[in-house]
Amino acid sequence: MASLSRALRVAAACPRQSPTRGLGPCNLSSASGPTAEKSVPYQRTLKEGQGTSVVAQGPSRPLPSTANVVVIGGGSLGCQTLYHLAKLGMSGAVLLERERLTSGTTWHTAGLLWQLRPSDVEVELLAHTRRVVSRELEEETGLHTGWIQNGGLFIASNRQRLDEYKRLMSLGKAYGVESHVLSPAETKTLYPLMNVDDLYGTLYVPHDGTMDPAGTCSTLARAASARGAQVIENCPVTGIRVWTDDFGVRRVAGVETPHGSIQTPCVVNCAGVWASAVGRMAGVKVPLVAMHHAYVVTERIEGIQNMPNVRDHDASVYLRLQGDALSVGGYEANPIFWEEVSDKFAFGLFDLDWEVFTQHIEGAITRVPVLEKTGIKSTVCGPESFTPDHKPLMGEAPELRGFFLGCGFNSAGMMLGGGCGQELAHWIIHGCPEKDMHGYDIRRFHHSLTDHPRWIRERSHESYAKNYSVVFPHDEPLAGRNMRRDPLHEELLGQGCVFQERHGWERPGWFHPQGPAPVLEYDYYGAYGSRPHEDYAYRRLLADEYTFDFPPHHDTIKKECLACRGAAAVFDMSYFGKFYLVGLDARKAADWLFSADVSRPPGSTVYTCMLNHRGGTESDLTVSRLAPSHQASPLAPAFEGDGYYLAVGGAVAQHNWSHITTVLQDQKFQCQLIDSSEDLGMVSIQGPASRAILQEVLDADLSNEAFPFSTHKLLRAAGHLVRAMRLSFVGELGWELHIPKASCVPVYRAVMAAGAKHGLVNAGYRAIDSLSIEKGYRHWHADLRPDDSPLEAGLAFTCKLKSPVPFLGREALEQQRAAGLRRRLVCFTVEDKVPMFGLEAIWRNGQVVGHVRRADFGFAIDKTIAYGYIHDPSGGPVSPLVKERGLCLERMGVTYGARAHLKSPFDPDNKRVKGIY
């Protein structure tokens, strides 16, 4: 049998592939398609899929004529979703699998479960999977799922990697996940076969483990069936029936198969690699790609028994305990795309491309030297689906009501399956998940991105290639850039703007004093014969961000912040979503959608939230009441009656659009939502000098009496019509100018010219992050999420609870207020000048009471500022905790004394916003 060292020699002798052409890489595998049989660890499962196709024998049981939910796909996510639907009491749930359970990608998965990830939501999802697989299923069915708890070991061969693991350790403490940072010597004691000469240290998580795909899925199916669900194998879906209701809304009507059809209002696409094809049946775009993903299984290794699983990110390799052998795999920079996804593929594998796999072998031998002389028992190379941001695709598709996604799990479907299956089931039954699933919600992608194959391909490649990279707080993608650029893009690029990317939009991050740093065309990091950019200023600046300390340009961001506090700064916020809500029922819709009272006179602007029925915050935004007009203009459509102009953060604009649209459909409001995001730009001028600057540009009196805070007017700016709003997201006197696209550059130049003598500077979102946290303004999806209520977030003032007007989420808020808050968002300041970024544990009297959601440095108060939710571990009201002293924040295993604040530590009386300096 070949050894790993021989595989290395074979790979080195292989001729290099020639450069590819077109949008991206071609299939570099030597095989034209998947092989039918391999020697794999799951031989029983593989043999079940050989010979005559069992699909031809017909479905494993008769199809029902109707179902409340049809789940498509019998892999990890399909089985977990069906099980949790049944467990939550959903009757009439059916799973259709075209072949046998696990036959697509699940059967060949490595089945690893690591409890710690750099996301609090994912830690919770993983914890649920572990509970289901390690305990609940066995208690429920009496069957063992194949769970093995052998622990997990994260390898750090440099200081930054160990710092990353220490951050995970601190977050884990908030969720009761036991972990330990070990020295190289301690690591050697735990894992004697490991080479530790080059290590900084390791993170050991004793309760990590391994799942058996076949055992888990079969047990899930049996448990779901016992609760009344049906599992039908050998039944491929050939079509999705759709109907259009009286309001023009497309809805699921049923599924079609070669053996009959099932009438249903709800379909769940858990088809993995084949999810895009299922989506096309329904007219739904599913942004994922299929790639080869491989591992090899070694011969027996003496002394490896009972060792923990290993993840050496810097060597791009994992080592999974496989009885008395190891499975070796990882993520390479040049993965092979599966260009033509076959619908006949079942229990199959590809030939392993040793040239692609070489780096994993090298890393494995370096880490466990005995592998150099160990034979290879089998190779496993199968398809997996990967997405543009390496996050799953979940939730209801905006194009089709009743069509849910549970796919694109980036080879993590087994470990995330339990948590995501539970959330998906809750989503289907109750209309929203229990946890914050925005990062997984398919509504996060703008249609211009899901329509663009190059963007999907580039970003999915980069996400795969960087899967084992250190997750730094301020990293940015290099793939799929310059998709959506606002009218000021070129103007700001020439002034040294270093851009960030948010869901396709290029937005200003900060301004580099040494000149332009454009984002260049994606070079695939030199893979597939592409030539990497040699002189790449943007990438060099991005590399400076690869730190958990203050970056080299910390002082540049400080100058932008202090200029805003001391004089004025201009922020390009053109990427914001800008919607109009008009029509016969616009006022009814606004009353129901928005938690605050927006039924103010035309000319008023209100900061408000939008909630779900659980009282969780789906968005925060500003709503401006418009005066009716019979004539359309670039700044307002023609309408009669009531109309509103909505401004929402650009990174969540698509989520907002989808949420509003869904509510309008559910409530059957007769009104129109118009998206003008691409037609309007937006600049915000903030600071003590903003009034003096804009007084030279705008044809209006800007005094407090003539132009109060939270109002808006149509004005002329340097001769161009704009909508001016007196608002602030940084805690200063300031105005936003909403500008027709064609007028953005001349208005911006007029503002800069007027501000030259007042010290006006350009500033980006890094400054906004710092200034806003200093003032205590909330960031949605950081401080404020769909699982946080406005009461918990300190935003009770945005809720019209004193009025009798009903609104979405009101009942939940009233129940929460009556019961008393059990958690609360609190501001902390730290005297020590240490950087914090979020995920730090919050301690009180030796107990963890929460973790930090968002942190930044406040330059005006010269302190680190953090916001996090705290709770009483005993389950009591949270109020007494907030007033206590002795709270600490843990950063990478070191605790720092912190002071808690319920009001902003900067300008708590809001004088500056009122123009009082």
Side-chain angles (χ1 to χ4, degrees):
M1 201 56 77
S3 67
L4 287 181
S5 58
R6 181 173 181 274
L8 270 177
R9 293 195 297 273
V10 170
C14 289
R16 291 288 166 183
Q17 301 286 340
S18 60
T20 60
R21 297 181 180 179
L23 293 176
C26 67
N27 189 329
L28 301 181
S29 174
S30 58
S32 59
T35 55
E37 187 165 358
K38 289 281 183 182
S39 173
V40 298
Y42 314 109
Q43 292 181 10
R44 180 183 60 81
T45 309
L46 179 64
K47 288 176 182 176
E48 288 176 354
Q50 302 306 312
T52 305
S53 174
V54 289
V55 176
Q57 300 172 7
S60 59
R61 61 187 301 164
L63 271 66
S65 59
T66 62
N68 288 323
V69 183
V70 173
V71 179
I72 301 175
S76 170
L77 258 296
C79 292
Q80 288 279 13
T81 301
L82 185 76
Y83 167 72
H84 283 93
L85 282 168
K87 196 170 184 179
L88 288 176
M90 169 67 80
S91 61
V94 176
L95 183 149
L96 299 181
E97 163 55 45
R98 64 184 176 87
E99 238 272 1
R100 301 287 297 276
L101 292 183
T102 76
S103 65
T105 61
T106 297
W107 74 277
H108 59 70
T109 183
L112 294 159
L113 192 148
W114 315 94
Q115 293 179 89
L116 293 179
R117 305 261 281 208
S119 159
D120 59 328
V121 174
E122 290 189 353
V123 170
E124 293 186 55
L125 297 174
L126 292 165
H128 183 71
T129 299
R130 191 183 179 285
R131 282 194 299 273
V132 169
V133 175
S134 68
R135 187 180 73 243
E136 292 179 3
L137 277 175
E138 187 167 359
E139 291 174 354
E140 191 170 333
T141 66
L143 300 173
H144 183 49
T145 62
W147 166 256
I148 299 172
Q149 181 181 299
N150 60 311
L153 198 56
F154 290 82
I155 306 300
S157 53
N158 58 69
R159 183 179 64 83
Q160 288 178 328
R161 184 68 77 177
L162 190 59
D163 284 347
E164 179 186 37
Y165 295 158
K166 288 177 179 178
R167 294 187 76 219
L168 297 183
M169 177 185 66
S170 292
L171 175 64
K173 290 176 182 177
Y175 290 96
V177 179
E178 180 186 354
S179 64
H180 309 274
V181 173
L182 305 182
S183 68
E186 291 170 325
T187 304
K188 185 72 172 178
T189 301
L190 176 67
Y191 202 120
L193 295 180
M194 182 175 292
N195 168 33
V196 301
D197 294 344
D198 60 337
L199 297 192
Y200 267 64
T202 57
L203 181 67
Y204 175 51
V205 187
H207 295 108
D208 284 353
T210 309
M211 298 170 286
D212 170 54
T216 298
C217 289
S218 62
T219 309
L220 286 165
R222 182 171 299 192
S225 298
R227 294 176 179 270
Q230 296 186 59
V231 176
I232 304 177
E233 296 177 295
N234 310 329
C235 188
V237 172
T238 55
I240 309 290
R241 291 211 310 267
V242 176
W243 67 289
T244 304
D245 68 17
D246 295 339
F247 291 85
V249 180
R250 298 176 70 244
R251 297 181 182 274
V252 168
V255 298
E256 297 173 347
T257 81
H259 312 289
S261 60
I262 303 175
Q263 183 178 330
T264 182
C266 182
V267 165
V268 192
N269 183 357
C270 296
V273 165
W274 295 268
S276 292
V278 173
R280 285 193 292 272
M281 296 178 190
V284 172
K285 297 179 178 65
V286 181
L288 56 76
V289 298
M291 297 184 192
H292 295 200
H293 193 54
Y295 61 87
V296 301
V297 183
T298 72
E299 296 285 3
R300 186 178 187 278
I301 303 171
E302 186 61 42
I304 205 70
Q305 296 79 4
N306 302 318
M307 289 297 100
N309 301 316
V310 173
R311 219 171 173 180
D312 190 337
H313 293 95
D314 293 315
S316 187
V317 67
Y318 68 78
L319 306 171
R320 173 200 189 270
L321 187 68
Q322 188 88 27
D324 58 3
L326 287 178
S327 295
V328 179
Y331 293 82
E332 55 279 350
N334 56 338
I336 300 171
F337 285 74
W338 191 18
E339 303 290 1
E340 301 295 333
V341 177
S342 169
D343 61 359
K344 306 298 182 186
F345 186 100
F347 292 115
L349 295 170
F350 304 104
D351 285 330
L352 182 66
D353 188 313
W354 287 104
E355 183 181 357
V356 173
F357 198 77
T358 296
Q359 67 183 96
H360 308 314
I361 298 174
E362 293 172 340
I365 291 174
T366 298
R367 191 54 54 220
V368 181
V370 71
L371 290 175
E372 186 172 10
K373 298 179 181 179
T374 302
I376 299 172
K377 181 166 59 178
S378 56
T379 65
V380 180
C381 182
E384 291 280 2
S385 58
F386 295 89
T387 63
D389 58 0
H390 216 70
K391 299 291 184 184
L393 307 175
M394 293 181 62
E396 190 176 30
E399 306 101 310
L400 181 60
R401 300 299 305 275
F403 189 89
F404 285 80
L405 300 176
C407 53
F409 275 79
N410 306 282
S411 77
M414 279 300 297
M415 72 172 83
L416 288 171
C420 287
Q422 177 179 246
E423 293 305 311
L424 196 50
H426 201 279
W427 218 328
I428 292 164
I429 295 172
H430 299 294
C432 63
E434 287 190 301
K435 296 181 176 61
D436 169 36
M437 302 300 287
H438 169 259
Y440 291 6
D441 194 334
I442 184 62
R443 298 178 298 174
R444 67 191 185 269
F445 293 121
H446 191 261
H447 61 81
S448 66
L449 304 178
T450 57
D451 286 342
H452 206 295
R454 179 179 67 83
W455 181 82
I456 296 171
R457 189 182 188 91
E458 286 186 4
R459 288 293 287 271
S460 298
H461 168 268
E462 184 179 45
S463 294
Y464 182 104
K466 291 182 67 175
N467 184 44
Y468 277 0
S469 298
V470 178
V471 180
F472 290 107
H474 298 295
D475 196 10
E476 295 290 332
L478 295 174
R481 296 295 294 267
N482 296 312
M483 293 292 297
R484 305 174 77 192
R485 296 187 288 190
D486 70 48
L488 295 176
H489 183 88
E490 293 300 323
E491 187 85 5
L492 300 182
L493 181 63
Q495 298 183 46
C497 182
V498 179
F499 286 94
Q500 301 174 337
E501 188 272 351
R502 296 296 180 270
H503 295 289
W505 277 112
E506 298 292 328
R507 74 176 193 182
W510 54 284
F511 285 80
H512 178 50
Q514 271 75 52
V519 182
L520 303 179
E521 191 173 316
Y522 187 49
D523 60 10
Y524 284 91
Y525 294 90
Y528 314 113
S530 61
R531 194 169 193 170
H533 300 301
E534 295 179 3
D535 186 19
Y536 198 172
Y538 183 86
R539 188 169 180 179
R540 287 198 307 273
L541 292 172
L542 190 60
D544 288 341
E545 298 276 18
Y546 295 162
T547 177
F548 293 109
D549 294 321
F550 295 119
H553 45 266
H554 183 68
D555 286 341
T556 302
I557 297 169
K558 174 181 179 179
K559 290 176 183 176
E560 293 179 16
C561 292
L562 294 183
C564 181
R565 294 284 186 232
V570 58
F571 302 92
D572 173 22
M573 305 174 75
S574 297
Y575 98 117
F576 261 48
K578 307 166 205 73
F579 310 143
Y580 295 99
L581 180 64
V582 296
L584 185 64
D585 290 339
R587 181 164 183 170
K588 290 181 183 177
D591 284 343
W592 181 251
L593 276 164
F594 307 124
S595 63
D597 181 7
V598 298
S599 296
R600 311 282 180 86
S604 63
T605 297
V606 177
Y607 171 69
T608 182
C609 295
M610 289 193 293
L611 311 180
N612 54 43
H613 73 88
R614 296 178 60 244
T617 311
E618 292 289 337
S619 170
D620 68 332
L621 67 160
T622 59
V623 177
S624 299
R625 183 78 180 275
L626 302 176
S629 173
H630 295 288
Q631 186 172 358
S633 78
L635 286 163
F639 69 94
E640 295 182 0
D642 298 297
Y644 303 86
Y645 175 60
L646 320 180
V648 300
V652 294
Q654 186 64 33
H655 176 87
N656 277 255
W657 173 271
S658 300
H659 173 74
I660 295 170
T661 300
T662 298
V663 173
L664 296 181
Q665 292 171 358
D666 289 345
Q667 298 297 315
K668 296 181 170 55
F669 288 128
Q670 297 185 46
C671 50
Q672 191 177 9
L673 187 66
I674 302 168
D675 187 354
S676 293
S677 304
E678 307 276 357
D679 304 321
L680 298 173
M682 175 181 165
V683 295
S684 181
I685 301 89
Q686 301 287 323
S690 59
R691 178 181 280 135
I693 294 168
L694 288 175
Q695 196 65 76
E696 298 181 29
V697 179
L698 299 173
D699 63 345
D701 181 358
L702 302 183
S703 65
N704 288 333
E705 296 74 23
F707 206 143
F709 183 74
S710 238
T711 62
H712 65 94
K713 295 180 180 181
L714 289 179
L715 302 173
R716 292 275 170 185
H720 298 263
L721 188 66
V722 303
R723 186 180 303 281
M725 295 186 184
R726 187 170 165 194
L727 293 171
S728 178
F729 196 54
V730 298
E732 297 292 336
L733 173 69
W735 280 262
E736 294 174 359
L737 304 182
H738 298 246
I739 314 165
K741 189 174 183 179
S743 300
C744 285
V745 172
V747 169
Y748 167 79
R749 288 176 176 171
V751 169
M752 293 303 290
K757 60 180 175 289
H758 294 281
L760 179 67
V761 303
N762 284 303
Y765 273 82
R766 294 290 287 278
I768 289 178
D769 290 341
S770 170
L771 294 164
S772 64
I773 200 171
E774 195 168 49
K775 186 64 187 77
Y777 292 149
R778 311 300 191 243
H779 274 199
W780 193 82
H781 201 234
D783 315 303
L784 197 59
R785 305 191 310 201
D787 53 350
D788 305 319
S789 82
L791 306 185
E792 295 168 332
L795 296 178
F797 69 90
T798 67
C799 302
K800 48 181 180 267
L801 291 173
K802 293 181 180 179
S803 82
V805 179
F807 61 91
L808 180 58
R810 176 173 186 140
E811 291 182 4
L813 294 188
E814 289 175 335
Q815 292 173 7
Q816 188 178 69
R817 185 174 61 176
L821 295 183
R822 294 296 187 266
R823 57 199 289 272
R824 180 71 158 81
L825 183 67
V826 175
C827 172
F828 299 92
T829 53
V830 181
E831 293 298 326
D832 299 86
K833 289 188 179 178
V834 292
M836 293 186 181
F837 305 101
L839 306 186
E840 293 82 8
I842 304 170
W843 288 85
R844 165 189 168 263
N845 297 334
Q847 284 186 303
V848 178
V849 294
H851 72 275
V852 172
R853 286 276 189 86
R854 179 168 72 110
D856 213 316
F857 196 81
F859 294 102
I861 66 172
D862 200 31
K863 287 182 174 64
T864 293
I865 305 169
Y867 274 82
Y869 285 85
I870 64 172
H871 66 276
D872 186 339
S874 67
V878 73
S879 300
L881 269 70
V882 178
K883 301 172 184 177
E884 287 191 11
R885 298 183 180 274
L887 292 164
C888 298
L889 306 184
E890 179 186 322
R891 175 187 184 270
M892 300 179 186
V894 179
T895 56
Y896 296 88
R899 181 182 174 189
H901 309 262
L902 281 181
K903 278 191 171 184
S904 163
F906 175 80
D907 188 25
D909 297 323
N910 291 322
K911 291 182 178 179
R912 299 171 76 96
V913 171
K914 301 170 187 174
I916 303 171
Y917 286 92

